[in-house]
Amino acid sequence: MLPYFDPEYENFNQRINPPRVCIDNGTCKDITLVKVDSMNRNGILLEVLQVLSDLDLHISKAYITSDGGWFMDVFHCVDKQGQKVTDEKTIKYIEKALGPESNLLGATKGSSSPGRSVGLHSIGDHTAIELKGPDRTGLLSEIFAVLAELQCNVLAAEMWTHRTRVACVVYVNDVATGRAIGDDGGDPRRLSRIEDRLRHVLRGGYGGGDALAALANFAVGPASHVDRRLHQLMHADVDVAQAAQADGGEGGPTVTVEHCVEKSYSVVNVKCKDRSKLLYDIVCTLTDMEYVVFHAAVTSEASYGVQELYIRRKDGKTLSKDEAEKVMRCLEAAISRRVCEGFTLELCGRDRVGLLSDVTRVLREHGLTVTRAGVTTVGQQAINVFYVRDPSGKPVDMKTIEGLRGEVGQTLMLNVKSVPAPTVKPPEPARSSGMARTSFFSFGNLFAKLRA
């Protein structure tokens, strides 16, 4: 007879030691401290960062440690305006998403995170369409035109481009029923027809190309985290192997991987222009490559972010030389693909079927390339953000912007912002033992002191 094991035994420690989160606005004058401690489990750091990232909080410093089965993090955060996090709704959201009532310890592999799946707003019943392929001017306009023609209402969308490739996740439902396509009791072949049309568009209207060159996937039901899914789509793409040559040039990130002999860690050092969601992009990439971050120290020096992460493989081993080189390439690509040049166009107005097709057609007619896009629907309002540039690489002519304002601004509120150009590439990051400064806590320096 087999011995009896209480199925709740594994959750006993989680019940007596639930996750705790503290929002501290009293310690620092201009910074909000978000302190999280919990029992440790694989992937917990990424889930915490997803919550902060979805709220558009900028992390200027962070101290992360997860040895000994316990997870303790401190994040120095400000909101999009660079101010302390004082909004009560935001604070309560963080406390609910990361505190005792959260699913931080109970989430299983493949489940959705406590952060957003498709924005922070519910978009209802939908079908997720994942696309990737070669990028070209006007591609997004063609995608939205096909979806409008096939009676697909776009609820939300995110698109990234990197080098010559594009990845996009679009959330749609049926125009007539408002239900997910394929789950509305209609034509069972409809998804196949949509997929065929989108593959044709991704291939530029040509019959050639394989599944990697043009990919269209469909999913009905709970969506994965959209930023993470875009990273995964682009990580598996054909340009990963060439990322080092493309992204390591003037103004690009500097990534090195070293070996910490004292504690058997591989040490990832990153130095690049600081920006929002930088830490999320790095941890997301490492997690999906099946590496575990045990310790990390993050800070900003002037306009640059400096990050030192102590990682191992899931089996506890450090990285081989080939693995280290791949990590450097993939991190450089992950950091660079969210960097945009040119202008940001923010459009807000009443949502309608075909709106995105019309807007992106106007952008194409004015000769602008969309390098990144974010589409959200809140109630009856459409909130769209497009990062655009001149396909030749020249600065966008202000006459073009004024022409856009005159054509689009008649029905939508349009706000135009210039994206700062990248600055000169920062100097190479120092080795682990030399990175410690009075303003930057380094685990390499701590290990050296403990050894002494």
Side-chain angles (χ1 to χ4, degrees), residues 341-345 371 386-389 395-398 401 416-419:
E341 301 177 20
F343 284 87
T344 303
L345 306 180
T371 58
F386 299 97
Y387 293 78
V388 300
R389 63 175 177 80
V396 177
D397 189 349
M398 289 307 299
I401 299 298
V416 181
K417 296 181 180 179
S418 177
V419 179

Side-chain angles (χ1 to χ4, degrees), residues 257-421:
V257 179
E258 302 165 3
H259 184 60
C260 177
V261 179
E262 297 85 358
K263 295 293 182 180
S264 296
Y265 289 113
S266 293
V267 186
V268 178
N269 294 318
V270 179
K271 188 167 185 179
C272 62
K273 187 172 178 61
D274 195 22
R275 60 167 175 78
S276 177
K277 304 187 180 183
L278 176 60
L279 180 58
Y280 171 82
D281 291 340
I282 292 172
V283 173
C284 180
T285 301
L286 292 172
T287 301
D288 286 333
M289 294 181 74
E290 299 193 339
Y291 297 115
V292 180
V293 178
F294 287 87
H295 305 283
V298 176
T299 192
S300 298
E301 298 181 346
S303 61
Y304 289 100
V306 181
Q307 313 208 7
E308 182 185 59
L309 303 99
Y310 286 73
I311 69 172
R312 292 185 187 135
R313 289 169 19 182
K314 280 188 175 181
D315 60 8
K317 297 181 180 179
T318 56
L319 279 63
S320 66
K321 182 179 179 181
D322 289 343
E323 289 174 321
E325 290 177 354
K326 184 176 181 181
V327 164
M328 289 188 287
R329 292 198 304 268
C330 291
L331 285 180
E332 286 169 355
I335 293 168
S336 300
R337 68 175 62 115
R338 209 193 279 261
V339 176
C340 298
E341 301 177 20
F343 284 87
T344 303
L345 306 180
E346 300 176 350
L347 298 99
C348 180
R350 186 173 180 82
D351 190 31
R352 61 175 173 81
V353 177
L355 173 64
L356 290 169
S357 175
D358 293 342
V359 169
T360 51
R361 174 183 53 78
V362 171
L363 297 179
R364 182 185 63 188
E365 290 172 349
H366 282 78
L368 297 177
T369 294
V370 179
T371 58
R372 223 174 87 206
V375 174
T376 307
T377 304
V378 183
Q380 298 298 316
Q381 291 293 309
I383 304 172
N384 307 326
V385 180
F386 299 97
Y387 293 78
V388 300
R389 63 175 177 80
D390 188 286
S392 66
K394 297 178 181 178
V396 177
D397 189 349
M398 289 307 299
K399 291 182 179 179
T400 302
I401 299 298
E402 291 305 317
L404 281 174
R405 194 185 299 276
E407 193 165 349
V408 177
Q410 296 177 5
T411 56
L412 298 168
M413 292 178 59
L414 173 63
N415 186 26
V416 181
K417 296 181 180 179
S418 177
V419 179

Side-chain angles (χ1 to χ4, degrees), residues 6 8 66 132 137 150 191 237 286 294 301 305 343 371 387 415 437:
D6 187 341
E8 292 297 316
S66 60
K132 73 171 181 178
T137 301
L150 296 175
L191 284 178
D237 214 344
L286 292 172
F294 287 87
E301 298 181 346
F343 284 87
T371 58
Y387 293 78
N415 186 26
R437 302 175 177 86

Side-chain angles (χ1 to χ4, degrees), residues 106-277:
T108 56
K109 185 177 180 180
S111 63
S112 59
S113 71
R116 66 172 176 153
S117 291
V118 188
L120 285 173
H121 305 278
S122 173
I123 61 172
D125 200 11
H126 65 269
T127 299
I129 305 176
E130 299 176 351
L131 306 167
K132 73 171 181 178
D135 188 28
R136 69 178 187 278
T137 301
L139 175 60
L140 191 62
S141 173
E142 294 179 36
I143 291 172
F144 286 142
V146 166
L147 292 174
E149 180 185 340
L150 296 175
Q151 297 298 296
C152 299
N153 180 39
V154 177
L155 302 171
E158 291 283 342
M159 185 204 78
W160 292 356
T161 61
H162 184 228
R163 299 184 70 226
T164 60
R165 303 290 290 178
V166 60
C168 183
V169 181
V170 187
Y171 303 92
V172 301
N173 63 12
D174 180 69
V175 170
T177 66
R179 298 181 61 185
I181 298 171
D183 192 34
D184 54 2
D187 186 350
R189 296 173 296 177
R190 186 179 180 189
L191 284 178
S192 297
R193 287 199 296 270
I194 296 172
E195 180 178 356
D196 290 342
R197 290 286 302 275
L198 290 175
R199 282 182 179 272
H200 185 73
V201 168
L202 287 171
R203 288 171 176 156
Y206 301 101
D210 55 19
L212 185 59
L215 175 67
N217 290 332
F218 291 81
V220 179
S224 60
H225 190 276
V226 63
D227 285 3
R228 185 176 186 180
R229 189 64 190 126
L230 287 169
H231 273 303
Q232 291 170 345
L233 288 170
M234 302 206 83
H235 173 78
D237 214 344
V238 293
D239 65 337
V240 172
Q242 303 170 353
Q245 290 80 4
D247 300 317
E250 188 84 2
T254 300
V255 182
T256 63
V257 179
E258 302 165 3
H259 184 60
C260 177
V261 179
E262 297 85 358
K263 295 293 182 180
S264 296
Y265 289 113
S266 293
V267 186
V268 178
N269 294 318
V270 179
K271 188 167 185 179
C272 62
K273 187 172 178 61
D274 195 22
R275 60 167 175 78
S276 177
K277 304 187 180 183

